[in-house]
mmCIF file of all heavy atoms in Angstrom:
data_model
loop_
_atom_site.group_PDB
_atom_site.id
_atom_site.type_symbol
_atom_site.label_atom_id
_atom_site.label_comp_id
_atom_site.label_asym_id
_atom_site.label_seq_id
_atom_site.Cartn_x
_atom_site.Cartn_y
_atom_site.Cartn_z
ATOM 1 N N ALA D 1 173.437 115.908 102.122
ATOM 2 C CA ALA D 1 172.001 116.117 101.903
ATOM 3 C C ALA D 1 171.765 117.087 100.774
ATOM 4 O O ALA D 1 172.640 117.886 100.411
ATOM 5 C CB ALA D 1 171.348 116.646 103.177
ATOM 6 N N TRP D 2 170.576 116.969 100.226
ATOM 7 C CA TRP D 2 170.051 117.954 99.278
ATOM 8 C C TRP D 2 168.848 118.594 99.955
ATOM 9 O O TRP D 2 167.954 117.896 100.454
ATOM 10 C CB TRP D 2 169.628 117.314 97.977
ATOM 11 C CG TRP D 2 170.782 116.913 97.129
ATOM 12 C CD1 TRP D 2 171.363 115.693 97.048
ATOM 13 C CD2 TRP D 2 171.476 117.720 96.178
ATOM 14 N NE1 TRP D 2 172.388 115.694 96.140
ATOM 15 C CE2 TRP D 2 172.466 116.930 95.584
ATOM 16 C CE3 TRP D 2 171.341 119.061 95.771
ATOM 17 C CZ2 TRP D 2 173.358 117.418 94.606
ATOM 18 C CZ3 TRP D 2 172.214 119.555 94.801
ATOM 19 C CH2 TRP D 2 173.186 118.738 94.235
ATOM 20 N N PHE D 3 168.837 119.908 99.976
ATOM 21 C CA PHE D 3 167.710 120.691 100.429
ATOM 22 C C PHE D 3 167.192 121.478 99.226
ATOM 23 O O PHE D 3 167.885 121.656 98.225
ATOM 24 C CB PHE D 3 168.141 121.692 101.516
ATOM 25 C CG PHE D 3 168.334 121.060 102.873
ATOM 26 C CD1 PHE D 3 169.486 120.316 103.150
ATOM 27 C CD2 PHE D 3 167.390 121.259 103.895
ATOM 28 C CE1 PHE D 3 169.677 119.765 104.418
ATOM 29 C CE2 PHE D 3 167.586 120.703 105.148
ATOM 30 C CZ PHE D 3 168.729 119.969 105.403
ATOM 31 N N ARG D 4 165.978 121.992 99.357
ATOM 32 C CA ARG D 4 165.449 122.873 98.332
ATOM 33 C C ARG D 4 164.669 123.995 99.003
ATOM 34 O O ARG D 4 164.125 123.824 100.095
ATOM 35 C CB ARG D 4 164.583 122.130 97.318
ATOM 36 C CG ARG D 4 163.270 121.575 97.877
ATOM 37 C CD ARG D 4 162.586 120.739 96.805
ATOM 38 N NE ARG D 4 161.312 120.194 97.274
ATOM 39 C CZ ARG D 4 160.583 119.348 96.587
ATOM 40 N NH1 ARG D 4 160.990 118.929 95.387
ATOM 41 N NH2 ARG D 4 159.451 118.908 97.081
ATOM 42 N N GLN D 5 164.611 125.102 98.275
ATOM 43 C CA GLN D 5 163.886 126.254 98.771
ATOM 44 C C GLN D 5 163.161 126.927 97.622
ATOM 45 O O GLN D 5 163.778 127.385 96.674
ATOM 46 C CB GLN D 5 164.812 127.261 99.449
ATOM 47 C CG GLN D 5 164.085 128.379 100.161
ATOM 48 C CD GLN D 5 165.019 129.156 101.071
ATOM 49 O OE1 GLN D 5 166.230 129.086 100.999
ATOM 50 N NE2 GLN D 5 164.403 129.896 102.010
ATOM 51 N N ALA D 6 161.834 126.945 97.731
ATOM 52 C CA ALA D 6 160.996 127.620 96.747
ATOM 53 C C ALA D 6 160.743 129.054 97.240
ATOM 54 O O ALA D 6 160.819 129.326 98.439
ATOM 55 C CB ALA D 6 159.665 126.872 96.596
ATOM 56 N N PRO D 7 160.441 129.982 96.330
ATOM 57 C CA PRO D 7 160.202 131.359 96.721
ATOM 58 C C PRO D 7 159.136 131.464 97.791
ATOM 59 O O PRO D 7 158.048 130.879 97.691
ATOM 60 C CB PRO D 7 159.737 132.010 95.423
ATOM 61 C CG PRO D 7 160.372 131.204 94.347
ATOM 62 C CD PRO D 7 160.361 129.795 94.877
ATOM 63 N N GLY D 8 159.436 132.176 98.883
ATOM 64 C CA GLY D 8 158.485 132.398 99.948
ATOM 65 C C GLY D 8 158.306 131.202 100.894
ATOM 66 O O GLY D 8 157.464 131.254 101.787
ATOM 67 N N LYS D 9 159.120 130.168 100.726
ATOM 68 C CA LYS D 9 158.988 128.989 101.554
ATOM 69 C C LYS D 9 160.284 128.707 102.302
ATOM 70 O O LYS D 9 161.352 129.212 101.937
ATOM 71 C CB LYS D 9 158.610 127.776 100.710
ATOM 72 C CG LYS D 9 157.209 127.873 100.095
ATOM 73 C CD LYS D 9 156.801 126.567 99.457
ATOM 74 C CE LYS D 9 155.377 126.649 98.935
ATOM 75 N NZ LYS D 9 154.940 125.347 98.342
ATOM 76 N N GLU D 10 160.178 127.867 103.338
ATOM 77 C CA GLU D 10 161.327 127.476 104.112
ATOM 78 C C GLU D 10 162.172 126.476 103.314
ATOM 79 O O GLU D 10 161.665 125.745 102.454
ATOM 80 C CB GLU D 10 160.878 126.809 105.408
ATOM 81 C CG GLU D 10 160.181 127.732 106.397
ATOM 82 C CD GLU D 10 161.144 128.746 106.990
ATOM 83 O OE1 GLU D 10 162.242 128.365 107.347
ATOM 84 O OE2 GLU D 10 160.754 129.921 107.079
ATOM 85 N N ARG D 11 163.472 126.444 103.616
ATOM 86 C CA ARG D 11 164.331 125.458 103.020
ATOM 87 C C ARG D 11 163.992 124.112 103.635
ATOM 88 O O ARG D 11 163.944 123.980 104.850
ATOM 89 C CB ARG D 11 165.798 125.818 103.240
ATOM 90 C CG ARG D 11 166.775 125.008 102.428
ATOM 91 C CD ARG D 11 168.190 125.548 102.550
ATOM 92 N NE ARG D 11 168.295 126.892 102.026
ATOM 93 C CZ ARG D 11 169.439 127.547 101.863
ATOM 94 N NH1 ARG D 11 170.563 126.939 102.168
ATOM 95 N NH2 ARG D 11 169.448 128.779 101.393
ATOM 96 N N GLU D 12 163.783 123.113 102.790
ATOM 97 C CA GLU D 12 163.358 121.800 103.270
ATOM 98 C C GLU D 12 164.285 120.701 102.801
ATOM 99 O O GLU D 12 164.849 120.761 101.699
ATOM 100 C CB GLU D 12 161.924 121.501 102.795
ATOM 101 C CG GLU D 12 161.759 121.409 101.297
ATOM 102 C CD GLU D 12 160.361 120.980 100.868
ATOM 103 O OE1 GLU D 12 159.502 120.755 101.738
ATOM 104 O OE2 GLU D 12 160.136 120.872 99.654
ATOM 105 N N LEU D 13 164.393 119.665 103.629
ATOM 106 C CA LEU D 13 165.204 118.513 103.269
ATOM 107 C C LEU D 13 164.517 117.732 102.131
ATOM 108 O O LEU D 13 163.323 117.459 102.191
ATOM 109 C CB LEU D 13 165.388 117.617 104.459
ATOM 110 C CG LEU D 13 166.158 116.326 104.217
ATOM 111 C CD1 LEU D 13 167.615 116.601 103.958
ATOM 112 C CD2 LEU D 13 166.001 115.353 105.387
ATOM 113 N N VAL D 14 165.316 117.368 101.137
ATOM 114 C CA VAL D 14 164.839 116.529 100.041
ATOM 115 C C VAL D 14 165.316 115.088 100.254
ATOM 116 O O VAL D 14 164.557 114.140 100.165
ATOM 117 C CB VAL D 14 165.328 117.063 98.694
ATOM 118 C CG1 VAL D 14 164.935 116.113 97.547
ATOM 119 C CG2 VAL D 14 164.773 118.472 98.456
ATOM 120 N N ALA D 15 166.637 114.941 100.516
ATOM 121 C CA ALA D 15 167.222 113.607 100.677
ATOM 122 C C ALA D 15 168.528 113.753 101.432
ATOM 123 O O ALA D 15 169.195 114.795 101.382
ATOM 124 C CB ALA D 15 167.477 112.970 99.325
ATOM 125 N N ALA D 16 168.880 112.700 102.137
ATOM 126 C CA ALA D 16 170.139 112.671 102.895
ATOM 127 C C ALA D 16 170.741 111.267 102.779
ATOM 128 O O ALA D 16 170.026 110.287 102.593
ATOM 129 C CB ALA D 16 169.925 113.029 104.347
ATOM 130 N N ILE D 17 172.072 111.225 102.889
ATOM 131 C CA ILE D 17 172.741 109.941 102.768
ATOM 132 C C ILE D 17 173.996 109.928 103.650
ATOM 133 O O ILE D 17 174.658 110.969 103.817
ATOM 134 C CB ILE D 17 173.119 109.646 101.296
ATOM 135 C CG1 ILE D 17 173.668 108.241 101.110
ATOM 136 C CG2 ILE D 17 174.132 110.679 100.773
ATOM 137 C CD1 ILE D 17 173.774 107.807 99.642
ATOM 138 N N ARG D 18 174.306 108.785 104.212
ATOM 139 C CA ARG D 18 175.575 108.610 104.876
ATOM 140 C C ARG D 18 176.071 107.193 104.577
ATOM 141 O O ARG D 18 175.269 106.283 104.424
ATOM 142 C CB ARG D 18 175.444 108.795 106.401
ATOM 143 C CG ARG D 18 174.508 107.827 107.096
ATOM 144 C CD ARG D 18 174.557 108.028 108.605
ATOM 145 N NE ARG D 18 173.517 107.285 109.292
ATOM 146 C CZ ARG D 18 173.629 106.005 109.648
ATOM 147 N NH1 ARG D 18 174.748 105.349 109.390
ATOM 148 N NH2 ARG D 18 172.635 105.435 110.304
ATOM 149 N N TRP D 19 177.397 107.089 104.473
ATOM 150 C CA TRP D 19 178.000 105.804 104.175
ATOM 151 C C TRP D 19 178.610 105.205 105.444
ATOM 152 O O TRP D 19 179.214 105.922 106.254
ATOM 153 C CB TRP D 19 179.125 105.980 103.150
ATOM 154 C CG TRP D 19 178.608 106.117 101.741
ATOM 155 C CD1 TRP D 19 178.390 105.103 100.864
ATOM 156 C CD2 TRP D 19 178.266 107.329 101.065
ATOM 157 N NE1 TRP D 19 177.928 105.610 99.674
ATOM 158 C CE2 TRP D 19 177.834 106.972 99.757
ATOM 159 C CE3 TRP D 19 178.275 108.674 101.424
ATOM 160 C CZ2 TRP D 19 177.424 107.909 98.826
ATOM 161 C CZ3 TRP D 19 177.874 109.611 100.507
ATOM 162 C CH2 TRP D 19 177.442 109.242 99.231
ATOM 163 N N SER D 20 178.486 103.893 105.581
ATOM 164 C CA SER D 20 179.206 103.170 106.636
ATOM 165 C C SER D 20 180.330 102.371 106.013
ATOM 166 O O SER D 20 181.061 101.692 106.740
ATOM 167 C CB SER D 20 178.245 102.269 107.394
ATOM 168 O OG SER D 20 177.627 101.341 106.519
ATOM 169 N N GLY D 21 180.514 102.469 104.776
ATOM 170 C CA GLY D 21 181.572 101.822 104.022
ATOM 171 C C GLY D 21 181.391 102.272 102.591
ATOM 172 O O GLY D 21 180.440 102.949 102.271
ATOM 173 N N ARG D 22 182.307 101.901 101.733
ATOM 174 C CA ARG D 22 182.214 102.394 100.362
ATOM 175 C C ARG D 22 180.926 101.934 99.662
ATOM 176 O O ARG D 22 180.374 102.631 98.806
ATOM 177 C CB ARG D 22 183.440 101.931 99.583
ATOM 178 C CG ARG D 22 183.531 102.497 98.167
ATOM 179 C CD ARG D 22 184.862 102.137 97.552
ATOM 180 N NE ARG D 22 185.948 102.945 98.121
ATOM 181 C CZ ARG D 22 186.523 103.956 97.502
ATOM 182 N NH1 ARG D 22 186.123 104.296 96.306
ATOM 183 N NH2 ARG D 22 187.493 104.637 98.071
ATOM 184 N N ASP D 23 180.455 100.739 99.991
ATOM 185 C CA ASP D 23 179.298 100.185 99.315
ATOM 186 C C ASP D 23 178.059 100.073 100.182
ATOM 187 O O ASP D 23 177.067 99.503 99.741
ATOM 188 C CB ASP D 23 179.655 98.794 98.730
ATOM 189 C CG ASP D 23 180.776 98.868 97.723
ATOM 190 O OD1 ASP D 23 180.738 99.799 96.899
ATOM 191 O OD2 ASP D 23 181.672 98.030 97.776
ATOM 192 N N THR D 24 178.122 100.521 101.400
ATOM 193 C CA THR D 24 177.034 100.423 102.339
ATOM 194 C C THR D 24 176.600 101.819 102.759
ATOM 195 O O THR D 24 177.435 102.610 103.210
ATOM 196 C CB THR D 24 177.438 99.626 103.574
ATOM 197 O OG1 THR D 24 177.909 98.347 103.162
ATOM 198 C CG2 THR D 24 176.222 99.440 104.493
ATOM 199 N N PHE D 25 175.337 102.144 102.610
ATOM 200 C CA PHE D 25 174.871 103.452 102.936
ATOM 201 C C PHE D 25 173.459 103.434 103.442
ATOM 202 O O PHE D 25 172.729 102.454 103.286
ATOM 203 C CB PHE D 25 174.972 104.382 101.712
ATOM 204 C CG PHE D 25 174.087 103.952 100.567
ATOM 205 C CD1 PHE D 25 172.801 104.393 100.454
ATOM 206 C CD2 PHE D 25 174.583 103.085 99.579
ATOM 207 C CE1 PHE D 25 171.983 104.001 99.407
ATOM 208 C CE2 PHE D 25 173.787 102.668 98.549
ATOM 209 C CZ PHE D 25 172.488 103.134 98.454
ATOM 210 N N TYR D 26 173.098 104.529 104.082
ATOM 211 C CA TYR D 26 171.723 104.743 104.515
ATOM 212 C C TYR D 26 171.232 106.020 103.858
ATOM 213 O O TYR D 26 171.911 107.034 103.905
ATOM 214 C CB TYR D 26 171.645 104.866 106.033
ATOM 215 C CG TYR D 26 170.287 105.290 106.522
ATOM 216 C CD1 TYR D 26 169.258 104.408 106.633
ATOM 217 C CD2 TYR D 26 170.043 106.636 106.830
ATOM 218 C CE1 TYR D 26 168.006 104.799 107.055
ATOM 219 C CE2 TYR D 26 168.788 107.043 107.258
ATOM 220 C CZ TYR D 26 167.784 106.120 107.361
ATOM 221 O OH TYR D 26 166.525 106.531 107.772
ATOM 222 N N ALA D 27 170.060 105.981 103.256
ATOM 223 C CA ALA D 27 169.501 107.161 102.637
ATOM 224 C C ALA D 27 168.061 107.372 103.076
ATOM 225 O O ALA D 27 167.378 106.413 103.389
ATOM 226 C CB ALA D 27 169.527 107.032 101.100
ATOM 227 N N ASP D 28 167.654 108.576 103.145
ATOM 228 C CA ASP D 28 166.288 108.920 103.520
ATOM 229 C C ASP D 28 165.787 110.037 102.627
ATOM 230 O O ASP D 28 166.581 110.835 102.120
ATOM 231 C CB ASP D 28 166.203 109.335 104.988
ATOM 232 C CG ASP D 28 164.786 109.272 105.542
ATOM 233 O OD1 ASP D 28 163.922 108.645 104.899
ATOM 234 O OD2 ASP D 28 164.534 109.883 106.586
ATOM 235 N N TYR D 29 164.483 110.083 102.441
ATOM 236 C CA TYR D 29 163.875 110.997 101.499
ATOM 237 C C TYR D 29 162.641 111.658 102.093
ATOM 238 O O TYR D 29 161.935 111.075 102.901
ATOM 239 C CB TYR D 29 163.450 110.255 100.226
ATOM 240 C CG TYR D 29 164.605 109.600 99.495
ATOM 241 C CD1 TYR D 29 165.003 108.314 99.801
ATOM 242 C CD2 TYR D 29 165.295 110.304 98.502
ATOM 243 C CE1 TYR D 29 166.060 107.718 99.137
ATOM 244 C CE2 TYR D 29 166.339 109.723 97.824
ATOM 245 C CZ TYR D 29 166.709 108.426 98.154
ATOM 246 O OH TYR D 29 167.768 107.841 97.492
ATOM 247 N N ALA D 30 162.376 112.870 101.657
ATOM 248 C CA ALA D 30 161.109 113.513 101.948
ATOM 249 C C ALA D 30 159.998 112.708 101.282
ATOM 250 O O ALA D 30 160.179 112.148 100.194
ATOM 251 C CB ALA D 30 161.114 114.942 101.445
ATOM 252 N N LEU D 31 158.862 112.663 101.944
ATOM 253 C CA LEU D 31 157.748 111.884 101.379
ATOM 254 C C LEU D 31 157.350 112.357 99.991
ATOM 255 O O LEU D 31 156.939 111.566 99.153
ATOM 256 C CB LEU D 31 156.545 111.966 102.333
ATOM 257 C CG LEU D 31 156.647 111.162 103.629
ATOM 258 C CD1 LEU D 31 155.423 111.415 104.490
ATOM 259 C CD2 LEU D 31 156.795 109.668 103.329
ATOM 260 N N SER D 32 157.486 113.636 99.745
ATOM 261 C CA SER D 32 157.049 114.216 98.477
ATOM 262 C C SER D 32 157.908 113.767 97.289
ATOM 263 O O SER D 32 157.500 113.888 96.151
ATOM 264 C CB SER D 32 157.065 115.734 98.559
ATOM 265 O OG SER D 32 158.360 116.206 98.858
ATOM 266 N N VAL D 33 159.119 113.240 97.572
ATOM 267 C CA VAL D 33 159.999 112.838 96.472
ATOM 268 C C VAL D 33 160.322 111.359 96.497
ATOM 269 O O VAL D 33 160.959 110.853 95.563
ATOM 270 C CB VAL D 33 161.318 113.638 96.502
ATOM 271 C CG1 VAL D 33 161.036 115.146 96.525
ATOM 272 C CG2 VAL D 33 162.199 113.243 97.671
ATOM 273 N N LYS D 34 159.903 110.661 97.516
ATOM 274 C CA LYS D 34 160.231 109.249 97.664
ATOM 275 C C LYS D 34 159.676 108.470 96.460
ATOM 276 O O LYS D 34 158.529 108.633 96.069
ATOM 277 C CB LYS D 34 159.653 108.681 98.960
ATOM 278 C CG LYS D 34 160.172 107.308 99.346
ATOM 279 C CD LYS D 34 159.786 106.952 100.774
ATOM 280 C CE LYS D 34 160.555 107.738 101.775
ATOM 281 N NZ LYS D 34 160.334 107.267 103.179
ATOM 282 N N GLY D 35 160.528 107.644 95.878
ATOM 283 C CA GLY D 35 160.156 106.890 94.680
ATOM 284 C C GLY D 35 160.445 107.617 93.394
ATOM 285 O O GLY D 35 160.427 106.993 92.325
ATOM 286 N N ARG D 36 160.721 108.906 93.450
ATOM 287 C CA ARG D 36 161.038 109.683 92.244
ATOM 288 C C ARG D 36 162.499 110.168 92.248
ATOM 289 O O ARG D 36 163.098 110.276 91.164
ATOM 290 C CB ARG D 36 160.129 110.900 92.152
ATOM 291 C CG ARG D 36 158.658 110.592 92.063
ATOM 292 C CD ARG D 36 157.844 111.830 91.744
ATOM 293 N NE ARG D 36 157.941 112.844 92.802
ATOM 294 C CZ ARG D 36 158.333 114.113 92.587
ATOM 295 N NH1 ARG D 36 158.684 114.512 91.384
ATOM 296 N NH2 ARG D 36 158.363 114.979 93.599
ATOM 297 N N PHE D 37 163.032 110.466 93.410
ATOM 298 C CA PHE D 37 164.393 111.010 93.514
ATOM 299 C C PHE D 37 165.303 109.963 94.139
ATOM 300 O O PHE D 37 164.875 109.151 94.993
ATOM 301 C CB PHE D 37 164.425 112.249 94.383
ATOM 302 C CG PHE D 37 163.746 113.459 93.827
ATOM 303 C CD1 PHE D 37 162.959 113.402 92.697
ATOM 304 C CD2 PHE D 37 163.923 114.705 94.418
ATOM 305 C CE1 PHE D 37 162.348 114.547 92.169
ATOM 306 C CE2 PHE D 37 163.346 115.856 93.927
ATOM 307 C CZ PHE D 37 162.522 115.755 92.797
ATOM 308 N N THR D 38 166.566 109.980 93.742
ATOM 309 C CA THR D 38 167.571 109.078 94.313
ATOM 310 C C THR D 38 168.841 109.849 94.606
ATOM 311 O O THR D 38 169.367 110.518 93.693
ATOM 312 C CB THR D 38 167.903 107.917 93.348
ATOM 313 O OG1 THR D 38 166.689 107.212 93.046
ATOM 314 C CG2 THR D 38 168.877 106.961 94.003
ATOM 315 N N ILE D 39 169.314 109.752 95.826
ATOM 316 C CA ILE D 39 170.571 110.383 96.214
ATOM 317 C C ILE D 39 171.663 109.313 96.152
ATOM 318 O O ILE D 39 171.443 108.159 96.538
ATOM 319 C CB ILE D 39 170.504 111.033 97.609
ATOM 320 C CG1 ILE D 39 171.753 111.831 97.928
ATOM 321 C CG2 ILE D 39 170.177 110.000 98.681
ATOM 322 C CD1 ILE D 39 171.654 112.679 99.182
#
């Protein structure tokens, strides 16, 4: 996963990924970055 923390704020999840095989994976994103960030 990638988390981020801005000054004075809690650390929040940005994106996470897990593989079930070399070419098969599941990824999820925070709503604020979905469509802009790729893990």
Side-chain angles (χ1 to χ4, degrees):
W2 287 94
F3 283 77
R4 67 186 181 187
Q5 188 167 17
K9 294 189 175 181
E10 294 290 317
R11 192 172 297 189
E12 63 175 0
L13 177 70
V14 175
I17 189 168
R18 61 175 171 85
W19 281 270
S20 58
R22 186 172 286 255
D23 298 318
T24 305
F25 63 90
Y26 171 80
D28 198 16
Y29 298 89
L31 286 176
S32 59
V33 306
K34 192 169 288 187
R36 299 189 297 125
F37 291 12
T38 303
I39 187 171

